[in-house]
Amino acid sequence: PVSGQFGCTLNDGMLFHDGIDLRPLQWDWMDEPTDPVRSIMPGVVRYINRDRQMSEWGQYVVIEHHLLDPKLVSVYSHLRSVMSELKVGATVEEGQVIATLGRSRSGVYNLPKAHAHLHFEMALRLSDSFPQWYARQETSGPNQNGIWNPRNLLAIDFLDLVESLKDGEVDTVQHYFFMEPIAVSLKVQSLKKPDFIRRYPDLIGESPNQGEIYGWQINFN
């Protein structure tokens, strides 16, 4: 159970796990999981990968939740299958079945049957320029998922967010981000507004001056 939680839980704490792993509860006669995977809340389908060879996540679905500020996305991966009628751009309701839990991943083999699980994330999209950046890196393979590549999605500690909202420590998702302790603060001198800021204006703090902006201070938890 520990390795399926968010944080440095893999390889004896040396590898970061950026989601939550949920094990299956029902199987067919071939010991393949049959659990339905449901959308966690209303949203719009932004990406579907039905070819497990195209991603380290195997088959996966990304849903953007337009009722949240900032508009987080939920990610459902290692799927056995995606509902055939599910299309990019479609609106889904809370609890709507979107897929079946599985063990898909890239490579010659799927995950072992005993390791079948749903890898779930709530995340932000880092950059719309990710494909161009990725193409300049010395990587082991091509980017076949565009801006919805797993490496371009920055996950948050979803269970901590839920507990903070439930306990009244924060009252909104935006409030949760601003209450997070700062681990690293980076200052970048640039006149250009990052596309991240245009996408998530709710994450902009107060500016010390109201004049022309010459740079950005980016705080990381």
Side-chain angles (χ1 to χ4, degrees):
V2 173
S3 66
Q5 298 174 10
F6 182 91
C8 293
T9 62
L10 304 176
N11 293 21
D12 295 323
M14 299 300 293
L15 186 62
F16 192 83
H17 185 237
D18 49 4
I20 306 167
D21 288 347
L22 302 172
R23 69 182 183 89
L25 296 176
Q26 56 193 46
W27 298 263
D28 62 17
W29 65 277
M30 296 183 65
D31 291 330
E32 295 288 355
T34 59
D35 303 72
V37 175
R38 303 174 184 273
S39 174
I40 194 168
M41 63 183 71
V44 177
V45 179
R46 293 303 183 197
Y47 186 74
I48 301 173
N49 177 46
R50 286 187 166 93
D51 184 348
R52 71 178 182 89
Q53 295 291 355
M54 287 178 57
S55 168
E56 60 198 85
W57 275 349
Q59 297 189 62
Y60 70 97
V61 174
V62 180
I63 299 175
E64 183 177 55
H65 301 289
H66 51 285
L67 299 181
L68 296 178
D69 294 313
K71 295 177 176 58
L72 298 174
V73 298
S74 57
V75 186
Y76 314 79
S77 57
H78 299 311
L79 301 171
R80 180 178 180 179
S81 63
V82 179
M83 301 298 289
S84 59
E85 63 270 22
L86 197 69
K87 307 296 181 184
V88 172
T91 300
V92 295
E93 303 300 325
E94 179 179 337
Q96 180 176 331
V97 176
I98 59 173
T100 301
L101 186 148
R103 54 191 186 94
S104 63
R105 67 174 181 183
S106 61
V108 178
Y109 302 106
N110 287 323
L111 294 167
K113 289 183 179 181
H115 293 177
H117 65 276
L118 172 70
H119 177 87
F120 172 80
E121 291 186 9
M122 292 291 282
L124 299 164
R125 190 170 85 246
L126 281 175
S127 175
D128 287 341
S129 300
F130 175 83
Q132 293 87 342
W133 172 86
Y134 188 89
R136 297 194 298 269
Q137 311 308 307
E138 294 182 2
T139 60
S140 58
N143 171 28
Q144 302 188 76
N145 309 110
I147 60 174
W148 300 109
N149 185 294
R151 300 184 187 188
N152 195 36
L153 298 177
L154 184 67
I156 67 170
D157 189 341
F158 175 67
L159 290 183
D160 185 62
L161 167 63
V162 171
E163 290 296 325
S164 298
L165 289 168
K166 186 174 69 173
D167 295 342
E169 297 175 4
V170 299
D171 51 12
T172 65
V173 176
Q174 180 191 37
H175 187 201
Y176 176 79
F177 275 93
F178 284 114
M179 291 297 291
E180 284 284 84
I182 298 173
V184 177
S185 186
L186 176 68
K187 292 184 178 180
V188 180
Q189 183 176 348
S190 174
L191 299 176
K192 183 179 179 181
K193 179 180 287 189
D195 65 65
F196 184 87
I197 295 301
R198 290 194 297 270
R199 188 160 50 258
Y200 303 116
D202 304 282
L203 296 183
I204 302 178
E206 294 184 5
S207 174
N209 61 71
Q210 302 303 316
E212 188 172 359
I213 294 176
Y214 291 95
W216 301 87
Q217 177 173 311
I218 308 169
N219 298 327
F220 297 85
N221 70 358

